[in-house]
Amino acid sequence: MSGMSDVFENINIAQVVIHEVFKRGPNREIVDPVFGEQKILLDAEAMTALRDRLIKALGQSSRCMEMDLQIDGEGSGVDLAKRLLDAGEDFALASREVAVKLAGAQTRQDLPGGIVVVLTGTAGVPGKRFVCKLKAEPHNGFTRVAAAGVISLQFLKDLILTPQTRLYKIGCFVELDKDAPVNTPLASNWKAFIYDETMSTSNKLSAANYFYDGFLGLKFPQNGATRTKEFHDHTKDFIKGLDISPERKNDLLNALITYLKVDQSPSIQVAEFSQTYLPEPEIRDGYEGFMTEKNFPLTAINKDLAYVEKSLKFRRVVFSQGIKLTGPADQFAEKISIEQILGDQGEDGAAAPWTKIIIKSPIQLQE
Amino acid sequence: MNEQEFATRWAEEVSQYAAWGNYITKHIVETLDQRIKSEHATFLKIPPEPRLKKLESLIDKAFHRGKPYTDPYVQITDKVGVRFVVLLVNDIKFIEGILAEWEDIAYSKDRDYEKERLENPLEFTYQSVHYVVRATRIIEHDGIEIAEGTPCEIQIRTLLQHAHSELTHDSIYKPAAAVKADPSILRVVARSMALIEATDECFDRVVEKLTEMERPFRESLHILGRLYHEYLGRPAELERSNTLILEAYSDLIGDNLEAKIRDFIERKPYIVAQISQHAENSHLFRQASTLLVYMAASAKPHTTKDRWPFTTDDLTLIYADLGINFDAY
């Protein structure tokens, strides 16, 4: 199994630097970032927690999305990532450019400031180098303090990187081949991922999109419609192949249509579908294994219904001797119930499996 | 030999008999230690202590009970004795095995309840295995020289046989005529012995069934332990939590556990270093079954999380090592 799903296994974090960017001034002027002078040394526990945040955001079945490079010239997000990996001793200094770029990209005045974490490391087998550019918005909380045997609360204003996932965004650039020839186009030697729960794939003008767009120089992949169709077709095949009752199969096929069509979420994801509609862990694992085998990523895909529109319009159930039941997909779940019942005994003495269909409507027309 | 001569000789040799009893007890306990390691603490249900017969009892037995001794000092073989009490009938055979291969002794079976059962199939009476064990050479122990041929009586019984014997031995087998004459007492005693014999047999079957049931677990755990040692360079711990893990994921193990683990580690060699690092602080990562958890988490993350028998802290680490977002499962 080597696909998208294990890009972020075996994460080792090598260098970490932080800077701070601020909200724009009253006249929308950029407020200069404050730069961290040097690399940060974290103890084992802190390192584990930081790795945890990365994996929740980027790992297998996370909500991260693979993106395409929008720009890859000098000064672009990917170009900067490459320079950071090769910066060596100058890493802390070079990473300032990340903060400067973010401050520049936050053009709207209402965008909050935050801590910019720039980190490098390796991931995968064999280890591939990566750069993460992370923006963490401070929020507040409490900690307990014990003094002289009395426990009390202390208010903390600048908490960052708590497990509150909506409060950080990550752009990650992974280098595929460290020894690629110098003239290799960046687009073919780098993969880019983004984790940002606030971004919108449908509204390109959404306020949150400065992060992937202006800051990182990324765009949504062009294959959204193809991927969405693959998701639909593979999931349908999987459900059809399940060893479950016809009633449940019918429910799941209806659920697939609901998930794609009715759900307003801008992205689709294998884990999300299975967590919502497949209660048994064994079936969930079977589904993920099936999708992985079909090379379908377990991370998020931007939803584009262009190629599945037709399939989502009608549901069809076929019986023997040319008998068919079809109906508009959005009515199917609500108006039709299907139940397997025991019919007459056949010659072998066993009851034949029959189907009882209830259509919650009077007959409109007969021919 | 009269009583006076008997007493004089006993006074001369009593320390030799004491040393002999200690020597035998020590040998059997130590051999059990080696053979069954940690379980030995519970193998012997009563700590064995060699016991010397009191002079009064010896004189009584030699001269006043109408026993047909020609040379009572030599013919009384239980001047020193030691008793081993075990749980199961099969455990008796284990100790017999130790005696059989021990070159310092020659032994004869003085009393064999299995043989007695065959000879008197309708009788339910005192059951215990008695051996008379004699030194085959001059042995030195506790600074004392033990003469060749010195006897010691060894009794081996199950707990239930022991209980029966404790209940009845003094009153029935060395009894007053009145007790012996009362058939209703003898009947109850025989009935309890019959129950004990039946129960002992059931116990053996229980243990056989349990062992049979545990066999796949033991085999899997053995393989995991061996692989852990090989990859981690340190022996695995085999605490009880391993059984809970194996039980939870038994249907994910299937055949060829060893080949599967090897293939898995070949694909994800980094987990060896991760386990080694986590093992510093966390008990789970010192257990053999850790390898299985990594493999299960990688192949079936939903099922693995669903069936995880402990709190999730350690499992979160494993998912993170594998790059899997724990929250999505």
Side-chain angles (χ1 to χ4, degrees), chain A residues 1 5-6 8-11 48 51-52 55-56 59-62 125 271 274-275 281-282 284-285 288 298, chain B residues 267-270 274 278 298-304 306-307 316-317 319-325 327-329:
Chain A
M1 193 171 79
S5 56
D6 35 18
F8 291 102
E9 67 178 332
N10 189 25
I11 286 190
T48 302
R51 186 183 70 152
D52 255 19
I55 285 164
K56 291 216 159 104
Q60 174 177 323
S61 293
S62 69
V125 182
S274 69
Q275 280 194 325
E282 293 79 7
R284 289 180 181 180
D285 280 329
E288 272 181 22
L298 299 180
Chain B
R267 283 185 289 122
K268 302 186 186 296
Y270 59 90
Q274 299 284 10
H278 301 326
S298 173
K300 313 231 163 176
H302 285 288
T303 314
T304 305
D306 186 60
R307 298 196 199 154
T316 316
L317 266 182
Y319 277 57
D321 287 343
L322 294 166
I324 302 172
N325 171 23
D327 292 349
Y329 292 91

Side-chain angles (χ1 to χ4, degrees), chain B residues 15 19 139-146:
Chain B
S15 57
I139 290 165
E140 202 177 303
H141 185 67
D142 291 345
I144 290 165
E145 204 169 85
I146 301 157

